[in-house]
Amino acid sequence: MALVSQAGPSYCIRTEIIRCKSGNHAGFSMTNNMEASKMKELYAGFLSLSCNSAKKAQMLHVDGPGVGCKRGHRVIVAASPPTDDAVIATEPLTRQDLIDYLASGCKPKTNWRIGTEHEKFGFEFGTLRPMKYEQIAELLNGIAERFDWEKVMEGDKIIGLKQGKQSISLEPGGQFELSGAPLETLHQTCAEVNSHLYQVKAVAEEMGIGFLGIGFQPKWGVKDIPVMPKGRYEIMKNYMPKVGSLGLDMMFRTCTVQVNLDFSSEDDMIRKFRAGLALQPIATALFANSPFTEGKPNGYLSMRSQIWTDTDNNRTGMLPFVFDDSFGFEQYVDYALDVPMYFVYRKKKYIDCTGMTFRDFLAGKLPCIPGELPTLNDWENHLTTIFPEVRLKRYLEMRGADGGPWRRLCALPAFWVGILYDEVSLQKVLDITADWTAEERQMLRNKVPKTGLKTPFRDGWLRHVAEDVVQLAKDGLERRGFKESGFLNEVAEVVRTGVTPAEKLLELYNGKWEQSVDPVFEELLY
């Protein structure tokens, strides 16, 4: 049932595909931005691999666009987010299959890509109120018709768009998200962002709709935010208040920008995961951009980051076990197996499985669907419901930054690519952070949302570490040879002055804006 991996023979499993009837294909429908390219590389790269102690599984594929079926050895990939089950297996999934699934993300450096995702708040120009679903549906339909996007439906409701390897989706409160294609350079990433914003604005402005680049809704309360008609969000909305006090704020009032990056091996994944976790508070400080709640300063520079500290501690945080000597794909799987589930998707419906674990699901012991066993689709969907500061799928997601204006959307991937995709800079970061204790990492995580770069750290301030890290990112970008270091100008200015974006907004609020947050909708308008 598992995927073939480049991580070594221990992760290598053969699969046999049954010939499909005309019109049916081995399907994968990808809306996460790094997925589609991985499929091609998996199909192309793994056919020549030989497997030693191989276990065969027979799989029958039904419905869906993708690679045509024929008899032979292929790699099977589940779809994400939820689709109807694309794979019917003759053998149950095992824990090893789940480990192999993560390991299948390993790819040579020549195939590493950059996938950027960003969210933004839509609002009515006249009232500044959040977009209603009806307006969002009109916007999505307009973009689809004018710019040739494929519509994504849930029942009779439009909930997103797809075009090639890009997708547009809706967060619970209507936050508008672009999940970009896997791209080779930051120039392509920034061009993609600009193209997306052009298309969205071309339709939205005719409707009297604008978009705000900020990390937390500055003016409206949860009660003012419309709920999107997606089944998984209804389940989450009911569950969140049981496990934290700020989960609904996370769902309905936050926006982020993140970058998804590749790894070449298990060891490479571990090194990048550790560097990413250690530096995530620095990224949070550099991009801090959410100082307002319901029209007033909230006491934080990154309210978005603060909210994650009391959302659901079972699925968030700094993951200290990543720094254990024993860490690898296997340990992450064991962690994920015990993170409580949200749902299972069957027959185009979400089934509430909150509080149950995937470990129970593997054993066929889910009370919500008794006796039923999971597919790789279920595993992939479960991984999307885990929210640590760095998240592992078949790539690594850097999750610590607030949403912001378009220049910062290009700066965030530049920061992480310069560090994680350059061996010299990555090693220097690992050297700098090697003696940081779990307590120090957690202290930074706790304090940065409030004090940003002015957070005391050892004999100085976090700003001093950030200066060194931004320089390492710049050096790494220059060694890549694509003339990308200019994308770091936004964060270079932040470390040079020590003033975060949030502090600039607070200065405007207390001065020129005369203690009104309304001007922020113009200041940070895309």
Side-chain angles (χ1 to χ4, degrees):
M1 183 72 195
L3 303 180
V4 181
S5 163
Q6 293 176 332
S10 64
Y11 289 125
C12 194
I13 291 181
R14 269 164 99 172
T15 58
E16 184 176 13
I17 296 180
I18 300 173
R19 187 181 305 276
C20 294
K21 292 180 182 178
S22 175
N24 287 340
H25 296 84
F28 54 87
S29 172
M30 298 306 165
T31 58
N32 284 341
N33 60 328
M34 297 292 285
E35 298 298 296
S37 71
K38 290 180 181 294
M39 303 309 98
K40 286 188 178 178
E41 284 146 10
L42 285 167
Y43 272 85
F46 294 162
L47 298 184
S48 61
L49 290 178
S50 64
C51 302
N52 297 324
S53 55
K55 174 181 73 179
K56 281 191 179 182
Q58 288 187 320
M59 302 175 190
L60 181 64
H61 289 251
V62 296
D63 295 337
V67 180
C69 287
K70 59 182 180 180
R71 181 167 294 278
H73 297 301
R74 293 293 187 273
V75 176
I76 309 306
V77 183
S80 171
T83 63
D84 279 331
D85 297 334
V87 178
I88 301 165
T90 57
E91 296 180 20
L93 269 185
T94 67
R95 175 173 167 274
Q96 186 62 46
D97 293 332
L98 309 184
I99 296 167
D100 294 339
Y101 172 85
L102 294 180
S104 71
C106 300
K107 60 202 297 191
K109 186 170 183 176
T110 52
N111 291 340
W112 290 356
R113 295 294 181 265
I114 306 162
T116 305
E117 303 182 28
H118 79 270
E119 302 161 358
K120 49 207 168 291
F121 294 107
F123 65 95
E124 297 174 347
F125 280 133
T127 65
L128 305 182
R129 296 191 73 85
M131 281 194 301
K132 304 179 186 72
Y133 171 72
E134 292 72 23
Q135 293 168 309
I136 291 172
E138 182 183 344
L139 175 61
L140 289 171
N141 281 316
I143 295 170
E145 288 152 16
R146 194 174 306 188
F147 298 105
D148 196 28
W149 288 70
E150 177 188 345
K151 298 176 184 180
V152 178
M153 310 295 290
E154 185 167 316
D156 61 352
K157 304 282 190 184
I158 184 169
I159 58 165
L161 302 172
K162 288 167 57 178
Q163 186 182 80
K165 296 174 185 177
Q166 299 181 78
S167 67
I168 294 171
S169 58
L170 303 178
E171 292 300 298
Q175 303 96 316
F176 214 70
E177 178 176 12
L178 172 72
S179 294
L183 301 170
E184 292 186 55
T185 73
L186 292 164
H187 299 286
Q188 294 169 347
T189 292
C190 215
E192 176 186 66
V193 167
N194 288 336
S195 172
H196 168 73
L197 293 175
Y198 166 78
Q199 293 183 14
V200 171
K201 286 168 67 176
V203 178
E205 286 178 354
E206 294 173 1
M207 300 169 54
I209 296 293
F211 282 91
L212 176 67
I214 199 168
F216 188 76
Q217 168 56 251
K219 186 174 175 70
W220 303 102
V222 170
K223 68 182 186 305
D224 302 307
I225 311 292
V227 181
M228 294 301 103
K230 295 175 71 170
R232 66 184 288 171
Y233 294 156
E234 186 64 26
I235 291 170
M236 290 172 66
K237 181 167 73 79
N238 295 331
Y239 181 68
M240 284 296 182
K242 301 175 185 176
V243 290
S245 67
L246 300 175
L248 296 182
D249 288 305
M250 179 279 291
M251 289 179 66
F252 295 104
R253 296 205 286 179
T254 62
C255 278
T256 188
V257 54
Q258 70 179 51
V259 63
N260 305 329
L261 298 172
D262 289 310
F263 44 80
S264 61
S265 64
E266 184 170 46
D267 182 62
D268 188 45
M269 177 277 292
I270 294 167
R271 295 170 76 236
K272 287 172 175 170
F273 208 149
R274 289 173 178 168
L277 279 173
L279 296 187
Q280 212 61 224
I282 289 177
T284 299
L286 291 172
F287 292 86
N289 191 42
S290 47
F292 305 120
T293 299
E294 295 179 29
K296 293 186 169 53
N298 52 36
Y300 293 91
L301 301 179
S302 177
M303 186 64 187
R304 182 208 59 83
S305 182
Q306 177 63 20
I307 278 166
W308 280 109
T309 65
D310 192 12
T311 290
D312 180 352
N313 290 335
N314 286 320
R315 67 184 74 244
T316 62
M318 292 290 281
L319 304 188
F321 66 86
V322 171
F323 295 86
D324 294 346
D325 290 343
S326 61
F327 177 68
F329 294 124
E330 184 175 358
Q331 287 71 26
Y332 194 86
V333 165
D334 285 335
Y335 158 72
L337 280 173
D338 293 320
V339 172
M341 295 175 65
Y342 283 153
F343 61 81
V344 172
Y345 191 73
R346 291 290 185 274
K347 298 179 181 175
K348 303 194 175 186
K349 289 194 174 156
Y350 291 87
I351 300 167
D352 188 336
C353 297
T354 49
M356 307 166 201
T357 70
F358 209 92
R359 197 178 294 278
D360 290 336
F361 198 3
L362 270 186
K365 295 178 180 177
L366 278 195
C368 57
I369 45 171
E372 191 152 343
L373 295 171
T375 66
L376 276 180
N377 296 47
D378 296 316
W379 177 237
E380 191 172 36
N381 296 330
H382 178 57
L383 291 177
T384 70
T385 69
I386 302 173
F387 309 119
E389 293 294 290
V390 176
R391 177 161 68 185
L392 176 62
K393 294 183 184 172
R394 283 176 294 182
Y395 46 87
L396 286 166
E397 300 181 353
M398 303 296 123
R399 296 175 46 82
D402 286 2
W406 77 266
R407 286 184 185 277
R408 257 177 264 148
L409 301 182
C410 304
L412 189 275
F415 176 78
W416 287 114
V417 166
I419 293 165
L420 300 183
Y421 275 7
D422 178 76
E423 182 57 36
V424 176
S425 290
L426 174 57
Q427 187 56 51
K428 286 184 177 178
V429 163
L430 291 169
D431 292 343
I432 289 169
T433 60
D435 66 345
W436 294 11
T437 65
E439 292 73 23
E440 284 177 319
R441 292 191 299 268
Q442 190 60 48
M443 178 276 293
L444 291 175
R445 171 67 187 90
N446 293 344
K447 292 190 174 180
V448 157
K450 197 175 191 75
T451 50
L453 293 174
K454 297 180 178 66
T455 303
F457 185 66
R458 296 193 171 180
D459 296 331
W461 306 97
L462 189 61
R463 175 186 171 188
H464 301 138
V465 185
E467 286 175 328
D468 293 340
V469 169
V470 169
Q471 185 59 52
L472 289 175
K474 186 170 184 284
D475 294 343
L477 290 178
E478 288 175 352
R479 279 190 288 269
R480 269 168 60 85
F482 294 121
K483 301 188 185 303
E484 298 167 315
S485 58
F487 292 115
L488 279 174
N489 289 347
E490 287 285 305
V491 290
E493 177 69 7
V494 173
V495 292
R496 186 185 67 79
T497 62
V499 180
T500 62
E503 288 165 300
K504 288 186 176 180
L505 294 178
L506 288 166
E507 185 180 337
L508 287 166
Y509 172 86
N510 289 310
K512 181 179 170 185
W513 295 353
E514 298 179 339
Q515 299 196 330
S516 168
V517 299
D518 289 2
V520 79
F521 287 84
E522 183 176 354
E523 180 74 20
L524 297 181
L525 177 70
Y526 282 111

